[in-house]
Amino acid sequence: MKAGHIATLAVDCRCELGEGPQWQAKSQRLYWCDILSKRLHWLSPANGEQGQYTLDQMVSLATPLVDGRLLLVGERSLSIFDPTTQSQAHFADFEVDNPITRSNDARVDRHGSLWLSTMGKRAEPGAGSLYRLHNGELTQLRSGLTIPNAICFSPAGDAAYFTDTPTGIVMRWPLDSQGWPQGEPQPWADFSKAPGNPDGAVVDSEGCLWLALWGAGQVVRLNHDGQVTDEVKLPVSQPSCPVFAGDNLAQLYITTAQEGFSAEQRREQPQAGGLFVADCGVRGLADPLLRLE
């Protein structure tokens, strides 16, 4: 394995639960969410400008649309958000009759469709599900999950990856030519006996997967066989999700969290919840823009 990389603080945002980093090429902005604090943060890496929006619900992802607006994956609904006017328009609901769940991980696949997951607000076992929003229609792909995470896709769009975090296993799921799952997902990478738990993930331009290990203070790179070949170390213990952003998608940004920390842990890790960045010597692979119809 390579010697590894060190991530440094990019934005001292102190998110309770930073998640869902997404690069919007049109505005040259990186967006990420603080789920529990109901905030949407942004950064312009080119000039260092940054800001945030206060939201009316927990949101786990803000993914770019063709016209420059964002689709917000909310607690139990999808809405379209205009950063210029800060206006929202309702798009669709999910699990509205299930008050114990909220959205969690999400990412657009190689076909321009959105995969999103839900989980219990208290991580109730088996309360979570995995969905796909394709041509404006939401379809449940899997249920009985606890903390679905690591949603990402092979460059050719012929495989999806995900994990149910408490299991420690990253799964690989073959997809057909329209991006629908085929057969059963298969175990691909096993972190059940490793420090930390698999959380968010992103695929780079070489088809390798960068996976945040919650609790272990690192992001690891997995090759096509699911073997760790590189790592990024952080000065905080709870990285949640990586994304490639900035000029030529050459920088790896990582959201982190201080969720569940004691007062002592917050003192020991004053940068916890911040947005971090590392130069890993590899470029990212742009996610397609979400298609709503």
Side-chain angles (χ1 to χ4, degrees):
M1 191 174 76
K2 294 181 181 178
H5 314 276
I6 302 296
T8 58
L9 188 67
V11 179
D12 189 12
C13 48
R14 309 283 175 100
C15 291
E16 192 67 18
L17 179 54
E19 259 291 4
Q22 289 272 291
W23 175 244
Q24 186 183 47
K26 187 180 183 74
S27 66
Q28 293 288 291
R29 277 185 176 185
L30 173 64
Y31 287 96
W32 69 102
C33 305
D34 184 346
I35 296 178
L36 299 180
S37 299
K38 301 180 181 178
R39 290 193 181 95
L40 176 63
H41 293 264
W42 63 269
L43 168 69
S44 297
N47 57 22
E49 290 183 359
Q50 57 184 277
Q52 60 180 274
Y53 305 101
T54 300
L55 305 172
D56 59 1
Q57 62 176 323
M58 289 190 283
V59 169
S60 58
L61 187 85
T63 196
L65 300 172
V66 175
D67 61 8
R69 295 183 298 171
L70 305 167
L71 184 84
L72 303 184
V73 179
E75 193 169 336
R76 56 179 62 90
S77 68
L78 304 174
S79 58
I80 298 173
F81 178 71
D82 188 332
T84 303
T85 62
Q86 298 186 39
S87 61
Q88 284 191 53
H90 178 268
F91 181 77
D93 293 317
F94 55 90
E95 298 192 6
V96 290
D97 57 347
N98 189 352
I100 75 164
T101 61
R102 65 163 173 83
S103 66
N104 192 44
D105 197 35
R107 187 174 296 281
V108 175
D109 67 19
R110 307 312 301 170
H111 300 269
S113 299
L114 178 73
W115 289 45
L116 67 95
S117 70
T118 60
M119 62 173 283
K121 292 175 182 175
R122 297 183 178 179
E124 289 87 346
S129 295
L130 189 59
Y131 297 86
R132 187 185 190 213
L133 178 69
H134 180 70
N135 291 340
E137 184 176 343
L138 200 61
T139 301
Q140 187 183 66
L141 302 177
R142 205 164 190 82
S143 61
L145 303 170
T146 299
I147 308 179
N149 263 315
I151 299 171
C152 57
F153 306 91
S154 63
D158 58 356
Y161 300 91
F162 75 96
T163 187
D164 191 356
T165 292
T167 69
I169 307 293
V170 179
M171 310 295 286
R172 185 181 187 275
W173 209 352
L175 305 177
D176 67 15
S177 61
Q178 300 300 310
W180 292 105
Q182 299 296 292
E184 285 295 301
Q186 299 299 315
W188 180 72
D190 188 348
F191 290 89
S192 60
K193 294 180 176 61
N197 297 300
D199 203 315
V202 69
V203 171
D204 64 26
S205 59
E206 297 174 4
C208 294
L209 191 149
W210 294 81
L211 175 70
L213 293 179
W214 178 277
Q218 63 181 161
V219 173
V220 293
R221 189 191 196 208
L222 307 177
N223 64 15
H224 300 86
D225 297 320
Q227 302 298 312
V228 175
T229 61
D230 204 351
E231 67 176 352
V232 178
K233 294 183 179 179
L234 295 92
V236 297
S237 61
Q238 293 182 164
S240 54
C241 191
V243 71
F244 287 93
D247 191 32
N248 293 319
L249 301 180
Q251 300 292 307
L252 187 72
Y253 286 85
I254 305 160
T255 52
T256 70
Q258 49 185 328
E259 180 190 16
F261 272 11
S262 64
E264 182 180 1
Q265 286 175 303
R266 290 174 191 260
R267 288 192 298 269
E268 291 173 348
Q269 299 183 41
Q271 296 178 337
L275 178 74
F276 289 80
V277 63
D279 183 354
C280 301
V282 63
R283 293 181 179 178
L285 181 68
D287 287 333
L289 292 171
L290 174 61
R291 294 163 45 196
L292 294 179
E293 57 184 37

